[in-house]
Amino acid sequence: MSRVVVAGGSGALGRALVADLAGRGADVVVLTRRPDSGWAVRQEQWDGRTVGAWASVLDDDGAPPVSVVNLAGRLVDVRPTAANVASLRSSRVDATRALVEASRASRRPVARWVQMSTTAIWSDGGDRRITEATPLPDPGLPQMTGVALPWERAAAGAHAERVTTLRTSLVLQPGSPVVARLELLTRLGLGGKVGSGRQWISWIHVDDWLAIVRAALGLGGPGEPALPGGVVVASAPTPVSNAELMATLRRMTGRRLGLPTPAPVARLGSWLLRSDPALGLTGRHCTSEVLAGLGWRFREPALEPALRDVVGRGPRG
């Protein structure tokens, strides 16, 4: 049995990961600010900033080798004010530095360290075909590159045998906030293209994301390759345009027509919703050369079947 410490396990994606790993027999420990009495896994309270008693879970001689999955960070769906960008950055950087400090104080290294990141680190990618080898923009949008790059760099120096950084695209997950919002807008008749509709949407089904995390932890199933250290793009091999995404959602929800959202309207709507218009108006075409080189087989490589499995379903995990 392996022990996996999950930081930031209380969000939608974290809960899915915890349920998946625990269901496969892993000894899961969740680091959380607010322990949940309804969870059947061990929880250790932390503040996401400082090393405390929780750090003992990385240095328990009686435990099997310990791995870390670092998902900690505030949700990005906020207005891109300077204060919010600073908060998004510190919520990730502070938590990561605390984990790194705890690992360096441990008598044995972490076996596998999976560092969450985002394909938004490439900012607005336009029509570039982005892979792990694509240089980062300088400068990128503050709420994208300016948050994700320090987040990744904060993991440097971790006392770990292997660090894998997952630059993750839009995760299609039942009940996730982004899927719920897109589904609601489509059902209200607002499911047309956003802005030009040409911006690329890179995406991944949650089951494929979970499989990639397991592979990074060395917990993959028979025939599944182990992931190397370094950067890995966690994205399906078939990015689509925003217009195609919205058209597919309309088919899923039985809406033949959807009003388009011009860029000025998207900006106004985002302001009213206290959100970031760049989330809908920018995009990037991201695929993984690393996974392709390993012969990785996606469970859901095409958008329509992936959405069919997600739309209209409640949260899992």
Side-chain angles (χ1 to χ4, degrees):
M1 180 185 295
S2 59
R3 169 175 289 183
V4 182
V5 177
V6 181
S10 59
L13 201 54
R15 286 181 177 272
L17 176 62
V18 169
D20 181 78
L21 293 175
R24 295 170 187 272
D27 174 19
V28 181
V29 182
V30 177
L31 302 182
T32 178
R33 291 176 175 83
R34 292 176 295 276
D36 184 345
S37 60
W39 266 12
V41 298
R42 178 179 170 185
Q43 299 167 74
E44 293 289 339
Q45 191 166 9
W46 76 331
D47 61 8
R49 296 190 306 275
T50 57
V51 177
W54 59 267
S56 64
V57 299
L58 301 182
D59 197 26
D60 185 350
D61 283 338
V66 178
S67 293
V68 167
V69 180
N70 179 23
L71 307 175
R74 182 185 175 194
L75 289 175
V76 300
D77 193 9
V78 294
R79 289 177 182 166
T81 64
N84 278 340
V85 170
S87 176
L88 290 171
R89 185 167 50 244
S90 65
S91 70
R92 288 160 173 73
V93 170
D94 292 350
T96 304
R97 286 176 175 167
L99 284 167
V100 168
E101 184 179 348
S103 76
R104 292 178 67 84
S106 175
R107 288 165 290 183
R108 60 179 180 173
V110 169
R112 305 287 179 94
W113 184 297
V114 181
Q115 176 69 29
M116 185 68 160
S117 185
T118 170
T119 54
I121 196 170
W122 280 289
S123 195
D124 188 3
D127 285 327
R128 285 186 303 164
R129 296 318 194 242
I130 294 171
T131 70
E132 289 89 353
T134 302
L136 299 180
D138 184 22
L141 292 171
Q143 70 272 35
M144 292 182 177
T145 308
V147 169
L149 185 55
W151 190 16
E152 290 187 7
R153 287 176 172 171
H159 188 206
E161 294 174 356
R162 179 180 296 177
V163 178
T164 303
T165 300
L166 294 185
R167 292 183 180 167
T168 301
S169 59
L170 169 66
V171 180
L172 300 182
Q173 177 184 5
S176 70
V178 64
V179 170
R181 177 170 291 185
L182 287 172
E183 187 177 349
L184 174 62
L185 291 174
T186 305
R187 293 188 185 281
L188 292 175
L190 302 175
K193 67 181 183 180
V194 178
S196 71
R198 294 191 300 271
Q199 61 272 36
W200 286 105
I201 307 298
S202 297
W203 61 274
I204 187 169
H205 189 280
V206 64
D207 288 345
D208 282 312
W209 183 82
L210 291 170
I212 290 171
V213 174
R214 292 195 302 271
L217 293 170
L219 301 176
E224 291 183 349
L227 259 62
V231 172
V232 176
V233 170
S235 187
T238 53
V240 297
S241 68
N242 171 270
E244 184 177 347
L245 170 67
M246 301 311 294
T248 307
L249 272 170
R250 291 197 302 274
R251 290 196 297 273
M252 296 295 98
T253 55
R255 299 296 190 269
R256 296 183 61 185
L257 299 174
L259 293 175
T261 306
V265 176
R267 293 188 182 96
L268 175 61
S270 294
W271 184 85
L272 293 173
L273 293 170
R274 299 180 177 274
S275 184
D276 180 1
L279 296 176
L281 294 173
T282 65
R284 55 215 64 88
H285 185 293
C286 298
T287 56
S288 176
E289 289 182 341
V290 172
L291 294 177
L294 292 171
W296 187 269
R297 298 184 65 180
F298 285 85
R299 291 156 174 78
E300 297 288 355
L303 177 66
E304 188 156 339
L307 275 177
R308 189 178 298 118
D309 184 58
V310 167
V311 170
R313 297 176 59 187
R316 290 191 304 185

